Structures are given as structure tokens and as C-alpha cells.
Amino acid sequence: MVDSPLLIKSKAFALEIIRVCNEIKRSQKESVLTNQLVRSGTSIGANIREAFYAHSKADFIAKLQIALKECSESEYWLELLIESGYYSDKTILDRCVEIKRILISSVNTAKGNEVK
């Protein structure tokens, strides 16, 4: 589990989200969007980690789908922060999209491996 690229990327993303949100709060005095982003951005990795301890394949898929929803929400908040001018570095948005793509692929693979 520790070597999972998805787990590593999602944790690094969560830490970056925390740093970015703290920077925006200090410099721009914005908290509504950043509070939402901290919640969704850190939830991605938490749900991925939970998936590794799922009780069943269905539980595993459900946790990954929750992570995917949180990732999509994070993408939205990042788009708002960037497009509104609160934040300008789009690389964090690129990382979010990369994680989203990995999650989509993981969910599809897990669903494809389900016993029918």
C-alpha cells in the first residue's frame, strides 16, 4: 500500500492544497473558497487510504468513487480560485486533473474485474 502511486500523489496533493490555501488566506484574506478546497482536497487521499482497507471489492470501488467526487469538487474550487485571480499557479490544477484521471482509470479497472 505504501508504494501506491495514487496514494503518494494524493497525499502530496493534500499537503500542497494546505500550503496554497494558507498562502491565499494570508495574502488575499479569502476563506470561503479555501475552506471548501481544504476539505475536498484533503479528503481525496483519505478516501484512497480507506479504499486500501475496504471490506469488499464493492467497498473498495465505493471509496475510490468518493475520492473521485472529492477530486472533481477540488478541481472546481481550484478553477474558481484561479479564474477569480486569487491564485495564479495552474500547476496545482494540473495535478488535480492527473489524480482525477488515475482515479477514473482505477475505478474502471476495479469495476471491470468485478465478478458478474
Side-chain angles (χ1 to χ4, degrees):
M1 176 190 77
V2 176
D3 295 336
S4 164
L6 185 55
L7 194 57
I8 292 165
K9 286 178 186 288
S10 63
K11 186 173 185 180
F13 180 74
L15 291 168
E16 188 174 5
I17 286 291
I18 292 167
R19 283 190 291 274
V20 165
C21 289
N22 283 336
E23 177 186 323
I24 293 169
K25 284 180 184 181
R26 275 193 306 277
S27 65
Q28 302 286 329
K29 306 292 188 235
E30 197 299 314
S31 63
V32 174
L33 299 174
T34 53
N35 287 343
Q36 292 291 111
L37 179 57
V38 165
R39 280 193 279 282
S40 63
T42 56
S43 179
I44 299 165
N47 280 288
I48 292 168
R49 183 170 284 196
E50 281 187 56
F52 281 96
Y53 294 98
H55 297 289
S56 64
K57 187 163 217 147
D59 188 30
F60 176 78
I61 292 168
K63 295 296 183 200
L64 288 183
Q65 287 175 322
I66 292 168
L68 178 57
K69 288 179 181 182
E70 295 293 335
C71 192
S72 181
E73 181 181 339
S74 297
E75 182 181 17
Y76 176 75
W77 297 123
L78 285 167
E79 288 171 353
L80 286 180
L81 285 167
I82 291 166
E83 292 173 23
S84 66
Y86 280 113
Y87 195 71
S88 61
D89 186 354
K90 295 180 182 180
T91 57
I92 192 167
L93 182 57
D94 295 338
R95 280 191 269 293
C96 185
V97 170
E98 177 188 10
I99 292 169
K100 183 175 79 171
R101 287 183 180 140
I102 296 169
L103 281 165
I104 289 168
S105 177
S106 298
V107 168
N108 288 338
T109 299
K111 283 182 174 182
N113 291 336
E114 282 184 310
V115 177
K116 298 186 182 198

